[in-house]
Structure formats: C-alpha cells, structure tokens
Amino acid sequence: MSLATALFLAFFGVAAIWFGIVVFRTHSMVRSAIALLFSQTAIGAMFLVMQAEFLGVLQIMMMATEMSVMAIFMVMFMMDPGGMGKMDMTHQKRLSLWAGGIGLVAALVVIWTAGWQGPAPDVPGADEQARLLGREILGRSMFIFESAALMILTAMIAATMVAIAPQEEDTQ
Amino acid sequence: MIPELMIALSVGAALFGVGLYGALSQTNLVMIIMGVELILAAALLNLVAFWRYLHPDVTAAKMFVLIVMAVMAVEMAVGFGIAIARFRSRGSVEMEEARELKG
C-alpha cells in the first residue's frame, strides 16, 4: 500500500463528497452547478491518482463543459437562480434522507464485508494503457463503441426534436 | 484487504447516497438531473477502482467507463430537451406541477 496514494484518494474523495453535499445545500443554483463541477473534478483527480490518466483528463474536460452548460440552463430556467429569495425547492425530505442513508449504509456494508484480497497488481504506464484501450475500442469492443456513438446521435436528434418550438402546421 | 480500493468504493457509496437524496428531494428538473449525475459519477468511480485494484489487465473495464460517460452526456442532453419543451409549454420546470404526467 502506498500511503501517499491512500492520502490523496481520501483527500479528493472528501472533497468530492463535500462539494456533492453543497450542490443540494446552497440556495444559489449557479453555486450548485459550480459545486457539482468541483465534485466531478475531484473524482477526475481520483482517477489520476488511480493511474487512469486518460479517463481522469477526459472526466475533468467533459464535466467542465457539461457543468458550464448546466449553469447556463440554471440561469435560464430557474425562478431564483441567484438564491437571493431563499426559496425552498425540496419535497419529501425525510423520505429522501432515509433512501439516501439506506443506500449509503447498504453499499458500505457490502464494500467492507466483501473481503477483496490484496495486494493490488501493477498497472502499465499511461502510453501503454492508451495503446491497449485503442486496440480494445477498434477490436473486441468496436460494436459497443459504435453503439455508443449511435446512442449519442439518437439523443442529439431526439433532444433537438423535443426542444424545437411546435410549428403552426403541427398544432393544426 | 486493499485500503485504496476501500477508500475509493466508500467515496463512491457516499456519492451514491448524496445523489439519491438529491434526485428524490428536489422539485426542479435541472436539480434532479444533478442528483442523477452524482449517482452516475459514483458508478464511474467504482468502475475505475475495480479496474485499478482488482483487474488492471482487463481493458474492457475502461470501455465500460467510456459508455457510462456517454450515458451521462445523453441523459443531460435529453433531460435539457425535455426541460426546454416543458418550460415553453408551462413556463416552469418544477416537477411538482407536472402532475398530468401521472396519466
């Protein structure tokens, strides 16, 4: 076990959880989006600590873009995006707390009783990992990768069609 | 026991709990999407941790991570598409007011 790795994992993990909690605690929706961005960035940093460099960088870049878009939507659609009015936009709080708590405890019980055996094996370097992933994508998993591309294309078309304002001839 | 794996999985469990709380407790569609994003991020973290500490030789695990990332993007795109349609027709994305979806 590397003490430095464990410490960095714990540090970024606590940051990810803390910012995740801030998302639902702040009244300002823009702050919520920024907190979610920090939480996702901390998760990306955990990927980097776990030597998954490509995925870590991808996670940080993707989430930075995604959360920027989310912040714009917040300002567009929220009644009080700045949180100045201290509006309460929650419901069934007790049920949600119980569900979240039970989910957390159940997952922790499984994790700590599963008995995964060490030591952790070594991983190849970043360049070798990228080469292996490229071979995986263009080899055995090509069909899955192409399906993901098709899924994104379908979602883009579907989202655009849903969002377009209905034309006059559509409503007749 | 592998301590780093336990730390990463425990963080994943906590993120799942927070995300589940958010998705269930919020009344606004965009905030609900944020909760779902946290749940999916927890899944991503678990996948990378399992790959790193149990099976670093299985590259397909990383492929799985890429697919979950694609699902996150799709979920957001479709969610915001629905939000725009809802805002245009009702002037709000509050899910408390979407009772007609009950049928």
Side-chain angles (χ1 to χ4, degrees), chain A residues 16-35:
Chain A
I17 296 167
W18 172 249
F19 283 116
I21 293 169
V22 170
V23 169
F24 303 111
R25 278 186 63 87
T26 177
H27 286 284
S28 164
M29 297 301 125
V30 178
R31 277 186 200 152
S32 283
I34 292 170

Side-chain angles (χ1 to χ4, degrees), chain A:
Chain A
M1 171 195 166
S2 159
L3 185 66
T5 306
L7 279 176
F8 275 113
L9 271 181
F11 172 75
F12 287 121
V14 169
I17 296 167
W18 172 249
F19 283 116
I21 293 169
V22 170
V23 169
F24 303 111
R25 278 186 63 87
T26 177
H27 286 284
S28 164
M29 297 301 125
V30 178
R31 277 186 200 152
S32 283
I34 292 170
L36 189 58
L37 167 61
F38 286 153
S39 178
Q40 301 279 10
T41 305
I43 293 169
M46 288 179 82
F47 290 180
L48 293 178
V49 175
M50 288 190 279
Q51 293 171 278
E53 287 89 352
F54 175 70
L55 294 178
V57 173
L58 191 66
Q59 165 84 359
I60 293 169
M61 282 169 61
M62 203 177 128
M63 289 306 149
T65 320
E66 212 172 297
M67 294 312 134
S68 311
V69 174
M70 200 170 243
I72 294 167
F73 271 80
M74 287 290 187
V75 176
M76 278 164 63
F77 291 145
M78 305 297 278
M79 284 180 276
D80 181 21
M84 303 296 278
K86 307 273 182 205
M87 279 175 67
D88 184 30
M89 286 185 294
T90 56
H91 63 170
Q92 53 185 19
K93 257 186 172 173
R94 190 181 290 265
L95 171 79
S96 312
L97 267 175
W98 272 104
I102 290 170
L104 167 65
V105 171
L108 284 178
V109 167
V110 172
I111 290 163
W112 288 91
T113 55
W116 285 296
Q117 295 301 315
D122 288 329
V123 287
D127 53 343
E128 178 65 7
Q129 281 185 45
R131 194 184 68 81
L132 288 172
L133 184 61
R135 286 199 169 275
E136 178 75 29
I137 286 172
L138 296 174
R140 207 167 62 98
S141 299
M142 187 182 239
F143 181 71
I144 303 167
F145 193 62
E146 293 298 326
S147 306
L150 204 62
M151 177 175 74
I152 293 173
L153 178 67
T154 312
M156 281 163 62
I157 295 168
T160 311
M161 292 304 291
V162 168
I164 285 175
Q167 302 294 311
E168 207 168 288
E169 59 264 28
D170 297 338
T171 53
Q172 282 172 358

Side-chain angles (χ1 to χ4, degrees), chain B:
Chain B
M1 195 173 84
I2 310 169
E4 296 100 318
L5 176 67
M6 300 315 233
I7 294 170
L9 294 184
S10 301
V11 171
L15 285 173
F16 173 76
V18 174
L20 189 61
Y21 164 76
L24 290 177
S25 68
Q26 301 298 310
T27 57
N28 191 285
L29 180 59
V30 185
M31 293 299 287
I32 295 170
I33 292 175
M34 282 190 166
V36 177
E37 290 276 323
L38 269 181
I39 294 173
L40 287 171
L44 278 182
L45 187 58
N46 281 14
L47 282 169
V48 174
F50 283 132
W51 164 79
R52 169 62 186 87
Y53 296 111
L54 295 182
H55 298 288
D57 51 323
V58 182
T59 320
K62 286 187 160 184
M63 192 65 219
F64 212 155
V65 173
L66 290 178
I67 297 293
V68 175
M69 280 184 176
V71 169
M72 284 171 99
V74 164
E75 170 245 331
M76 233 183 84
V78 175
F80 284 145
I82 294 170
I84 291 175
R86 178 88 198 154
F87 193 80
R88 187 171 278 133
S89 65
R90 297 284 189 275
S92 156
V93 287
E94 284 294 309
M95 289 296 102
E96 290 266 283
E97 297 163 15
R99 296 194 186 280
E100 70 269 25
L101 291 175
K102 275 184 175 173

